Amino acid sequence: MRDLPPVSQPGEQNQTEDHHEAEGSGTAPNGRLPSLPGTPSLPRPIPVYASGSPTVPQRSIRVRTDAEFHSLQLRRQFASYSSMERPLSPASRPHSPWGRFDPYESAEDQEKEYVGFATLPHQVQRKTVKKGFTFTLMVAGESGLGKSTLINSLFLTDLYKDRKVPNAEERINQTVGILTHTVSIEEKGIKLRLTVIDTPGFGDSINETGSWKPLEDYIDKQFEQYFRDESGLNRRNIQDNRVHCCLYFISPYGHGLRPLDVACMKALHNKVNIVPVVAKADSLTEAEVQRKKMKIREQIEHFGINIYQFPECDSDEDEDLKKQDQLLKDSIPFAVIGSNVQVESDGHKVRGRVYPWGVVEVENPAHSDFLLLRNMLVKTHMQDLKDQTGETHYENFRAQCISNMTRMERS
């Protein structure tokens, strides 16, 4: 039987501990106490009695593997990044995973301290870009105004490859139809599912009474389908087919709006964002275009037609943005020209139309409002058109549905 170590007095124990502390005051380069000869390196120092036997730990010690130790280092590193006691400066903060979208990479931010929530917009952007975007556009107007050509020019695609143009006899008996064309467009990694709703036969019959009814029914049907999906059990993958904008084409001939134009826009103005467009503006002189725009604006106000209203700019917005917004407001209705053919003008290939007196360029601001319309639809106000559809037009439809359901339950 092994002899037990002698029991030392309290004073002697303190002296022994002080003696060992004095001997073990030197530290290894890694910050740990030097290991005893012939013993493996331990992750932390273990106090030793005077006799050289190690103390018995209160609980068993499990030596971590290399993978676990590496994981522990990562957790400690993450904890140091997310510490709220002392925000880290950009010099010691890890680089953002969004690369060029990092809002902290500017030179003036290098000496400042931030929490890091300025990357929230980029987090939303990554999620939205991955999901993709949708936009539904309806075109309405009589045949022969260049609706199909303008749509192809706006989105640089051919949506009407298999379209059959009816002859004069077929147009007499033709009724208003609804044709849906869907195409997926990708630009700089951004995916857009574009749906164009065409209305062949609109305005072509002799009796035009109620010819806008199929358009109104289609818009209500999409609202009703969205309302059912929103009220269902599975709301995760709701497909939005609501009509976000209606380009209403106005004939350049005549003296303004026809009775059919007034009746149709008044039937749809509380259900969809209406953007009036004067088609084939190359058939009018510049003075005639300005007079026609003024006449149409007066008629719209006189008949109480609610067309799409551009949002007001904030007082702190850039002056260039304010000028652009005012230019869009003054350009209503947009006088546009469409063409899918490239012609030569001043040694350059441009999309336009060739006449005996010269070339009309589609994308020339001096010739038409095509660029203004495309920038408004795609570049600057597409999201606002979708917001207005969801927050105004659809909410009105939803409130009416709930009111009807409540009235039926009470009766």
Side-chain angles (χ1 to χ4, degrees), residues 120-202:
L120 282 175
H122 306 315
Q123 298 177 36
V124 176
Q125 181 188 20
R126 291 182 65 221
K127 184 177 180 180
T128 309
V129 168
K130 184 177 180 181
K131 184 179 179 181
F133 299 87
T134 60
F135 188 72
T136 303
L137 178 67
M138 175 180 282
V139 290
E142 64 181 72
S143 301
L145 293 181
K147 301 187 297 295
S148 304
T149 304
L150 181 66
I151 294 301
N152 291 336
S153 302
L154 284 173
F155 297 99
L156 300 178
T157 185
D158 189 5
L159 292 173
Y160 304 91
K161 296 179 180 179
D162 303 327
R163 190 185 66 160
K164 179 183 177 182
V165 179
N167 53 35
E169 183 180 357
E170 293 174 343
R171 287 184 181 180
I172 295 176
N173 300 322
Q174 185 179 17
T175 58
V176 180
I178 299 293
L179 294 180
T180 302
H181 306 271
T182 302
V183 62
S184 296
I185 307 174
E186 185 172 351
E187 181 178 283
K188 291 186 177 294
I190 308 299
K191 297 180 181 179
L192 173 67
R193 186 176 65 89
L194 173 67
T195 302
V196 178
I197 298 135
D198 199 0
T199 57
F202 178 81

XYZ file of all heavy atoms in Angstrom, residues 120-202:
650
model
N -28.757 45.676 -44.532
C -30.105 45.115 -44.644
C -30.702 45.279 -46.044
O -31.302 44.344 -46.568
C -31.024 45.739 -43.591
C -30.889 45.196 -42.163
C -31.761 45.993 -41.201
C -31.267 43.730 -42.102
N -30.582 46.452 -46.690
C -31.125 46.549 -48.057
C -30.495 45.551 -49.014
O -31.167 45.027 -49.898
C -30.813 48.001 -48.455
C -30.696 48.735 -47.176
C -30.105 47.763 -46.209
N -29.209 45.258 -48.832
C -28.555 44.309 -49.721
C -29.007 42.882 -49.432
O -29.047 42.049 -50.341
C -27.038 44.432 -49.570
C -26.531 45.823 -49.764
N -26.953 46.621 -50.808
C -25.662 46.583 -49.046
C -26.350 47.800 -50.737
N -25.571 47.804 -49.679
N -29.336 42.589 -48.175
C -29.893 41.280 -47.865
C -31.245 41.089 -48.555
O -31.533 40.024 -49.112
C -30.046 41.125 -46.352
C -28.745 41.196 -45.576
C -28.969 41.105 -44.082
O -29.847 40.392 -43.618
N -28.181 41.848 -43.320
N -32.071 42.137 -48.510
C -33.372 42.075 -49.193
C -33.161 41.963 -50.704
O -33.878 41.231 -51.399
C -34.212 43.314 -48.838
C -35.523 43.321 -49.612
C -34.480 43.361 -47.339
N -32.161 42.687 -51.206
C -31.900 42.651 -52.646
C -31.486 41.256 -53.094
O -31.971 40.754 -54.115
C -30.808 43.653 -53.001
C -30.492 43.697 -54.491
C -29.291 44.549 -54.802
O -28.475 44.809 -53.922
N -29.167 44.967 -56.028
N -30.608 40.606 -52.356
C -30.166 39.264 -52.726
C -31.343 38.289 -52.755
O -31.474 37.474 -53.664
C -29.098 38.771 -51.736
C -27.776 39.501 -51.830
C -26.777 38.921 -50.852
N -26.453 37.544 -51.191
C -26.321 36.577 -50.303
N -26.536 36.821 -49.016
N -25.996 35.358 -50.676
N -32.206 38.378 -51.759
C -33.354 37.476 -51.692
C -34.324 37.749 -52.836
O -34.869 36.815 -53.437
C -34.051 37.640 -50.343
C -35.197 36.676 -50.118
C -35.784 36.851 -48.728
C -36.938 35.883 -48.502
N -37.526 36.042 -47.147
N -34.555 39.028 -53.143
C -35.496 39.379 -54.206
C -34.957 39.015 -55.574
O -35.683 38.524 -56.439
C -35.816 40.884 -54.146
O -36.193 41.237 -52.818
C -36.953 41.235 -55.084
N -33.667 39.256 -55.789
C -33.059 38.918 -57.078
C -33.106 37.422 -57.311
O -33.355 36.949 -58.431
C -31.613 39.447 -57.121
C -30.866 38.858 -58.307
C -31.611 40.964 -57.205
N -32.881 36.643 -56.262
C -32.933 35.195 -56.399
C -34.344 34.725 -56.763
O -34.518 33.790 -57.549
C -32.477 34.540 -55.091
C -32.393 33.030 -55.160
C -31.875 32.462 -53.855
C -31.787 30.939 -53.922
N -31.291 30.362 -52.641
N -35.350 35.389 -56.192
C -36.735 35.015 -56.474
C -37.180 35.467 -57.849
O -37.971 34.787 -58.514
C -37.645 35.609 -55.401
C -39.099 35.208 -55.528
C -39.927 35.825 -54.409
C -41.392 35.453 -54.530
N -42.214 36.077 -53.461
N -36.697 36.614 -58.319
C -37.105 37.147 -59.613
C -38.287 38.096 -59.490
O -38.906 38.224 -58.427
N -38.596 38.759 -60.591
C -39.645 39.771 -60.610
C -40.708 39.395 -61.642
O -40.428 38.673 -62.606
C -39.058 41.151 -60.951
C -38.031 41.635 -59.965
C -36.703 41.292 -60.107
C -38.400 42.417 -58.890
C -35.754 41.731 -59.214
C -37.465 42.866 -57.980
C -36.135 42.525 -58.146
N -41.890 39.918 -61.430
C -42.995 39.711 -62.359
C -43.644 41.057 -62.672
O -43.679 41.951 -61.811
C -44.057 38.759 -61.777
O -44.589 39.322 -60.563
C -43.458 37.390 -61.484
N -44.139 41.177 -63.885
C -44.836 42.400 -64.286
C -45.849 42.033 -65.362
O -45.525 41.312 -66.316
C -43.854 43.444 -64.819
C -44.473 44.790 -65.058
C -44.844 45.595 -63.999
C -44.685 45.246 -66.344
C -45.417 46.837 -64.221
C -45.254 46.481 -66.574
C -45.620 47.278 -65.503
N -47.071 42.519 -65.170
C -48.160 42.231 -66.106
C -48.640 43.531 -66.728
O -49.009 44.467 -66.010
C -49.323 41.525 -65.390
O -48.836 40.334 -64.771
C -50.409 41.150 -66.384
N -48.619 43.574 -68.048
C -48.962 44.786 -68.793
C -50.095 44.475 -69.752
O -50.041 43.500 -70.501
C -47.724 45.279 -69.560
C -47.896 46.509 -70.446
C -48.175 47.742 -69.605
C -46.647 46.716 -71.289
N -51.126 45.313 -69.722
C -52.247 45.185 -70.654
C -52.182 46.310 -71.671
O -51.902 47.463 -71.324
C -53.584 45.240 -69.898
C -54.802 45.233 -70.805
S -56.378 45.295 -69.907
C -56.494 43.597 -69.369
N -52.407 45.956 -72.944
C -52.451 46.959 -74.007
C -53.856 46.959 -74.595
O -54.415 45.900 -74.905
C -51.394 46.664 -75.090
C -50.011 46.917 -74.555
C -51.504 45.241 -75.608
N -54.412 48.143 -74.718
C -55.778 48.286 -75.224
C -55.804 49.406 -76.257
O -55.105 50.418 -76.119
C -56.754 48.584 -74.086
N -56.626 49.223 -77.258
C -56.749 50.206 -78.322
C -57.163 49.515 -79.606
O -57.043 48.296 -79.745
N -57.658 50.286 -80.548
C -58.131 49.714 -81.797
C -56.982 49.166 -82.623
O -55.806 49.511 -82.398
C -58.896 50.773 -82.602
C -58.037 51.938 -83.040
C -58.829 52.971 -83.800
O -59.636 53.690 -83.178
O -58.647 53.049 -85.031
N -57.294 48.303 -83.539
C -56.270 47.668 -84.373
C -55.621 48.685 -85.301
O -56.234 49.674 -85.712
C -56.889 46.542 -85.206
O -57.473 45.565 -84.369
N -54.361 48.410 -85.625
C -53.650 49.260 -86.562
C -52.918 50.418 -85.941
O -52.366 51.255 -86.665
N -52.863 50.488 -84.603
C -52.177 51.596 -83.939
C -50.749 51.248 -83.535
O -50.079 52.060 -82.908
C -52.968 52.038 -82.697
C -54.337 52.672 -82.959
C -54.985 53.087 -81.648
C -54.212 53.869 -83.905
N -50.291 50.055 -83.873
C -48.904 49.693 -83.578
C -48.673 49.212 -82.158
O -47.574 49.419 -81.615
N -49.654 48.564 -81.556
C -49.494 48.083 -80.169
C -48.425 46.996 -80.087
O -47.545 47.029 -79.217
C -50.827 47.564 -79.639
C -51.947 48.591 -79.623
C -53.188 48.065 -78.942
C -53.799 46.871 -79.642
N -54.313 47.224 -80.990
N -48.512 46.019 -80.981
C -47.555 44.912 -80.949
C -46.141 45.398 -81.231
O -45.177 44.960 -80.573
C -47.955 43.850 -81.974
O -49.286 43.413 -81.753
N -45.992 46.289 -82.193
C -44.670 46.804 -82.529
C -44.071 47.572 -81.366
O -42.869 47.454 -81.077
C -44.759 47.708 -83.766
O -45.361 46.986 -84.842
C -43.388 48.185 -84.186
N -44.887 48.361 -80.686
C -44.372 49.131 -79.560
C -43.940 48.223 -78.408
O -42.901 48.454 -77.776
C -45.432 50.116 -79.083
C -45.001 51.013 -77.911
C -43.889 51.951 -78.351
C -46.170 51.808 -77.358
N -44.698 47.180 -78.128
C -44.333 46.269 -77.043
C -43.010 45.568 -77.355
O -42.132 45.431 -76.489
C -45.456 45.248 -76.813
C -46.716 45.953 -76.303
C -45.016 44.189 -75.819
C -46.528 46.711 -75.013
N -42.861 45.123 -78.596
C -41.596 44.502 -78.980
C -40.435 45.484 -78.883
O -39.316 45.111 -78.515
C -41.691 43.953 -80.399
C -42.625 42.754 -80.499
O -42.860 42.062 -79.515
N -43.167 42.519 -81.687
N -40.690 46.748 -79.190
C -39.638 47.753 -79.101
C -39.299 48.076 -77.644
O -38.133 48.333 -77.319
C -40.071 49.040 -79.828
O -40.373 48.780 -81.181
N -40.291 48.072 -76.780
C -40.049 48.400 -75.382
C -39.160 47.372 -74.697
O -38.245 47.733 -73.934
C -41.388 48.511 -74.630
C -42.211 49.772 -74.843
C -43.576 49.634 -74.163
C -41.483 50.985 -74.284
N -39.403 46.098 -74.939
C -38.714 45.046 -74.203
C -37.724 44.270 -75.068
O -37.198 43.247 -74.615
C -39.741 44.079 -73.604
C -40.651 44.733 -72.603
C -41.918 45.150 -72.975
C -40.237 44.947 -71.312
C -42.770 45.760 -72.061
C -41.070 45.558 -70.389
C -42.340 45.965 -70.763
N -37.456 44.750 -76.289
C -36.451 44.154 -77.169
C -36.660 42.651 -77.324
O -35.735 41.847 -77.197
C -35.038 44.434 -76.630
C -34.652 45.908 -76.498
C -33.250 46.038 -75.917
C -34.746 46.617 -77.836
N -37.873 42.268 -77.561
C -38.203 40.866 -77.751
C -39.351 40.754 -78.738
O -39.989 41.754 -79.083
C -38.593 40.200 -76.417
O -38.796 38.809 -76.612
C -39.839 40.824 -75.835
N -39.601 39.532 -79.207
C -40.685 39.289 -80.165
C -41.743 38.447 -79.472
O -41.582 37.240 -79.291
C -40.148 38.577 -81.405
C -41.193 38.498 -82.516
O -42.281 39.082 -82.334
O -40.907 37.860 -83.551
N -42.819 39.109 -79.053
C -43.898 38.419 -78.359
C -44.976 37.894 -79.296
O -45.865 37.169 -78.868
C -44.549 39.360 -77.332
C -43.698 39.757 -76.129
C -44.416 40.807 -75.312
C -43.396 38.547 -75.272
N -44.914 38.277 -80.540
C -46.004 37.949 -81.461
C -45.464 37.196 -82.670
O -45.697 37.564 -83.828
C -46.716 39.229 -81.911
C -47.232 40.067 -80.776
C -46.449 41.080 -80.215
C -48.509 39.860 -80.248
C -46.931 41.851 -79.164
C -48.981 40.622 -79.196
C -48.189 41.613 -78.670
O -48.659 42.378 -77.624
N -44.731 36.134 -82.403
C -44.149 35.362 -83.503
C -45.234 34.654 -84.322
O -45.163 34.606 -85.550
C -43.167 34.333 -82.947
C -41.962 34.951 -82.248
C -41.041 33.875 -81.708
C -39.845 34.476 -81.000
N -38.939 33.442 -80.429
N -46.207 34.074 -83.626
C -47.225 33.251 -84.296
C -48.556 33.990 -84.460
O -49.615 33.372 -84.562
C -47.463 31.961 -83.502
C -46.191 31.166 -83.310
O -45.334 31.211 -84.213
O -46.045 30.519 -82.255
N -48.505 35.304 -84.472
C -49.753 36.056 -84.579
C -50.288 36.035 -86.006
O -49.532 36.192 -86.975
C -49.539 37.508 -84.130
C -50.830 38.275 -83.988
C -50.561 39.736 -83.671
N -49.913 40.410 -84.778
C -49.896 41.738 -84.941
N -50.478 42.499 -84.056
N -49.270 42.272 -85.962
N -51.581 35.874 -86.116
C -52.257 35.892 -87.408
C -53.098 37.165 -87.509
O -53.966 37.417 -86.685
C -53.161 34.660 -87.569
C -53.914 34.624 -88.884
C -54.838 33.429 -88.964
C -55.634 33.442 -90.261
N -56.583 32.293 -90.321
N -52.810 37.971 -88.519
C -53.524 39.231 -88.698
C -54.814 38.956 -89.468
O -54.780 38.438 -90.598
C -52.655 40.250 -89.453
C -53.420 41.557 -89.643
C -51.343 40.486 -88.708
N -55.989 39.263 -88.886
C -57.255 38.993 -89.583
C -57.461 39.969 -90.725
O -57.008 41.118 -90.682
C -58.306 39.171 -88.490
C -57.676 40.114 -87.518
C -56.205 39.825 -87.532
N -58.168 39.505 -91.735
C -58.475 40.383 -92.863
C -59.715 41.218 -92.543
O -60.285 41.128 -91.454
C -58.679 39.559 -94.147
C -59.703 38.448 -93.961
O -60.686 38.610 -93.220
N -59.496 37.317 -94.623
N -60.149 42.027 -93.525
C -61.266 42.943 -93.282
C -62.559 42.190 -93.014
O -63.373 42.597 -92.167
C -61.439 43.877 -94.479
N -62.767 41.058 -93.706
C -64.002 40.297 -93.494
C -64.048 39.677 -92.104
O -65.104 39.643 -91.458
C -64.112 39.225 -94.570
C -65.418 38.412 -94.498
C -65.496 37.354 -95.584
O -64.557 37.297 -96.412
O -66.476 36.596 -95.592
N -62.912 39.190 -91.651
C -62.865 38.577 -90.319
C -63.033 39.606 -89.215
O -63.554 39.317 -88.144
C -61.545 37.823 -90.142
C -61.422 36.605 -91.043
C -60.051 35.969 -90.956
O -59.121 36.652 -90.452
O -59.900 34.810 -91.367
N -62.594 40.832 -89.447
C -62.717 41.862 -88.430
C -64.165 42.273 -88.191
O -64.513 42.755 -87.115
C -61.903 43.093 -88.837
C -60.397 42.902 -88.720
C -59.664 44.182 -89.050
N -58.222 44.010 -88.968
C -57.356 44.978 -89.215
N -57.789 46.195 -89.593
N -56.062 44.752 -89.115
N -65.020 42.094 -89.214
C -66.418 42.513 -89.053
C -67.102 41.687 -87.977
O -67.843 42.210 -87.136
C -67.155 42.396 -90.408
C -66.554 43.375 -91.423
C -68.634 42.657 -90.229
C -67.156 43.259 -92.813
N -66.864 40.386 -88.005
C -67.517 39.488 -87.054
C -66.648 39.188 -85.828
O -67.025 38.369 -84.993
C -67.866 38.162 -87.745
C -68.804 38.363 -88.918
O -69.709 39.205 -88.853
N -68.589 37.598 -89.986
N -65.479 39.828 -85.725
C -64.579 39.533 -84.617
C -65.066 40.172 -83.325
O -65.509 41.321 -83.308
C -63.162 40.030 -84.932
C -62.125 39.650 -83.891
C -60.743 40.155 -84.273
O -60.613 41.031 -85.129
N -59.715 39.593 -83.649
N -64.980 39.430 -82.243
C -65.330 39.942 -80.924
C -64.047 40.237 -80.150
O -62.946 39.806 -80.529
C -66.172 38.920 -80.147
O -65.441 37.697 -80.029
C -67.492 38.664 -80.866
N -64.208 40.956 -79.075
C -63.046 41.316 -78.263
C -62.539 40.066 -77.545
O -63.291 39.381 -76.846
C -63.410 42.409 -77.247
C -62.191 42.780 -76.412
C -63.949 43.634 -77.971
N -61.277 39.768 -77.731
C -60.666 38.610 -77.093
C -59.549 39.025 -76.151
O -59.119 40.182 -76.115
N -59.078 38.059 -75.384
C -57.978 38.268 -74.451
C -56.895 37.253 -74.776
O -57.109 36.044 -74.688
C -58.423 38.112 -72.983
C -59.510 39.138 -72.639
C -57.237 38.253 -72.048
C -59.042 40.575 -72.637
N -55.741 37.740 -75.171
C -54.593 36.889 -75.458
C -53.472 37.236 -74.496
O -53.143 38.415 -74.306
C -54.120 37.071 -76.903
C -55.077 36.624 -78.009
C -54.454 36.872 -79.376
C -55.421 35.148 -77.847
N -52.886 36.193 -73.909
C -51.824 36.382 -72.923
C -50.507 35.860 -73.486
O -50.428 34.721 -73.958
C -52.151 35.646 -71.618
O -53.400 36.127 -71.128
C -51.089 35.905 -70.564
N -49.500 36.705 -73.440
C -48.161 36.336 -73.892
C -47.212 36.494 -72.703
O -47.127 37.574 -72.107
C -47.693 37.223 -75.051
C -48.639 37.258 -76.206
N -48.587 36.359 -77.243
C -49.683 38.092 -76.481
C -49.545 36.635 -78.119
N -50.216 37.689 -77.673
N -46.493 35.435 -72.374
C -45.559 35.455 -71.250
C -44.175 35.112 -71.756
O -43.985 34.163 -72.518
C -45.976 34.451 -70.158
O -47.298 34.763 -69.719
C -45.027 34.521 -68.968
N -43.201 35.893 -71.334
C -41.823 35.680 -71.734
C -40.922 35.991 -70.543
O -41.223 36.888 -69.739
C -41.453 36.564 -72.945
C -41.570 38.036 -72.618
C -40.062 36.236 -73.465
N -39.849 35.245 -70.409
C -38.867 35.469 -69.343
C -37.680 36.221 -69.933
O -37.082 35.790 -70.928
C -38.410 34.142 -68.745
O -39.488 33.485 -68.108
N -37.359 37.341 -69.326
C -36.264 38.195 -69.782
C -35.217 38.268 -68.674
O -35.563 38.397 -67.496
C -36.768 39.603 -70.147
C -37.928 39.518 -71.137
C -35.650 40.452 -70.724
C -38.575 40.864 -71.423
N -33.964 38.192 -69.056
C -32.866 38.300 -68.096
C -31.901 39.376 -68.544
O -31.485 39.405 -69.702
C -32.136 36.965 -67.929
C -31.057 37.000 -66.858
C -30.467 35.640 -66.573
O -31.016 34.649 -67.096
O -29.469 35.557 -65.844
N -31.548 40.251 -67.618
C -30.628 41.344 -67.921
C -29.730 41.579 -66.720
O -30.193 41.878 -65.624
C -31.418 42.615 -68.269
C -30.559 43.804 -68.620
C -31.389 45.022 -68.993
O -31.897 45.045 -70.129
O -31.561 45.910 -68.141
N -28.416 41.385 -66.915
C -27.415 41.562 -65.858
C -27.745 40.734 -64.615
O -27.623 41.180 -63.482
C -27.283 43.045 -65.483
C -26.664 43.907 -66.558
C -26.437 45.311 -66.082
C -25.739 46.140 -67.163
N -24.368 45.671 -67.429
N -28.199 39.517 -64.843
C -28.494 38.615 -63.744
C -29.853 38.806 -63.116
O -30.214 38.052 -62.210
N -30.637 39.794 -63.571
C -31.967 40.057 -63.032
C -32.991 39.408 -63.953
O -32.998 39.667 -65.163
C -32.244 41.565 -62.913
C -31.108 42.251 -62.154
C -33.571 41.804 -62.227
C -30.924 41.753 -60.738
N -33.849 38.574 -63.377
C -34.849 37.852 -64.154
C -36.213 38.531 -64.008
O -36.622 38.865 -62.897
C -34.939 36.399 -63.695
C -33.656 35.618 -63.912
C -33.800 34.191 -63.428
C -32.506 33.403 -63.627
N -32.620 32.009 -63.135
N -36.889 38.717 -65.131
C -38.214 39.329 -65.159
C -39.160 38.442 -65.955
O -38.859 38.093 -67.106
C -38.157 40.728 -65.782
C -39.500 41.425 -66.027
C -40.165 41.753 -64.697
C -39.324 42.682 -66.861
N -40.259 38.082 -65.333
C -41.306 37.335 -66.045
C -42.360 38.343 -66.497
O -43.163 38.815 -65.714
C -41.924 36.270 -65.143
C -42.919 35.362 -65.878
C -43.429 34.265 -64.951
N -44.209 34.824 -63.863
C -45.520 35.046 -63.903
N -46.203 34.779 -65.001
N -46.149 35.539 -62.860
N -42.309 38.660 -67.781
C -43.196 39.676 -68.354
C -44.404 39.003 -68.980
O -44.274 38.073 -69.775
C -42.437 40.489 -69.403
C -43.269 41.488 -70.215
C -43.777 42.607 -69.326
C -42.446 42.041 -71.381
N -45.574 39.495 -68.608
C -46.831 39.015 -69.184
C -47.530 40.191 -69.859
O -47.802 41.209 -69.219
C -47.745 38.406 -68.107
O -47.050 37.334 -67.450
C -49.021 37.870 -68.715
N -47.794 40.046 -71.132
C -48.486 41.085 -71.918
C -49.851 40.556 -72.305
O -49.974 39.465 -72.891
C -47.670 41.477 -73.161
C -48.431 42.503 -73.985
C -46.309 42.019 -72.765
N -50.893 41.299 -71.966
C -52.272 40.923 -72.276
C -52.743 41.790 -73.436
O -52.850 43.009 -73.314
C -53.191 41.096 -71.060
C -52.735 40.171 -69.942
C -54.622 40.820 -71.404
C -52.686 40.796 -68.617
N -52.985 41.130 -74.548
C -53.441 41.821 -75.749
C -54.960 41.693 -75.852
O -55.554 40.730 -75.357
C -52.764 41.231 -76.984
C -52.831 42.179 -78.173
O -53.403 43.274 -78.019
O -52.319 41.814 -79.256
N -55.566 42.665 -76.498
C -57.029 42.705 -76.620
C -57.415 42.824 -78.094
O -57.874 43.888 -78.541
C -57.602 43.880 -75.815
O -56.995 45.098 -76.275
C -57.312 43.704 -74.340
N -57.242 41.773 -78.887
C -57.612 41.862 -80.308
C -59.116 42.024 -80.486
O -59.922 41.448 -79.750
C -57.124 40.513 -80.869
C -57.104 39.593 -79.694
C -56.744 40.438 -78.509
N -59.483 42.825 -81.437
C -60.895 43.071 -81.719
C -61.478 44.260 -80.990
O -62.628 44.650 -81.257
N -60.707 44.863 -80.073
C -61.239 46.009 -79.333
C -61.339 47.222 -80.253
O -60.369 47.632 -80.890
C -60.332 46.326 -78.146
C -60.768 47.530 -77.350
C -61.781 47.407 -76.413
C -60.190 48.769 -77.542
C -62.185 48.502 -75.675
C -60.592 49.864 -76.813
C -61.597 49.728 -75.882
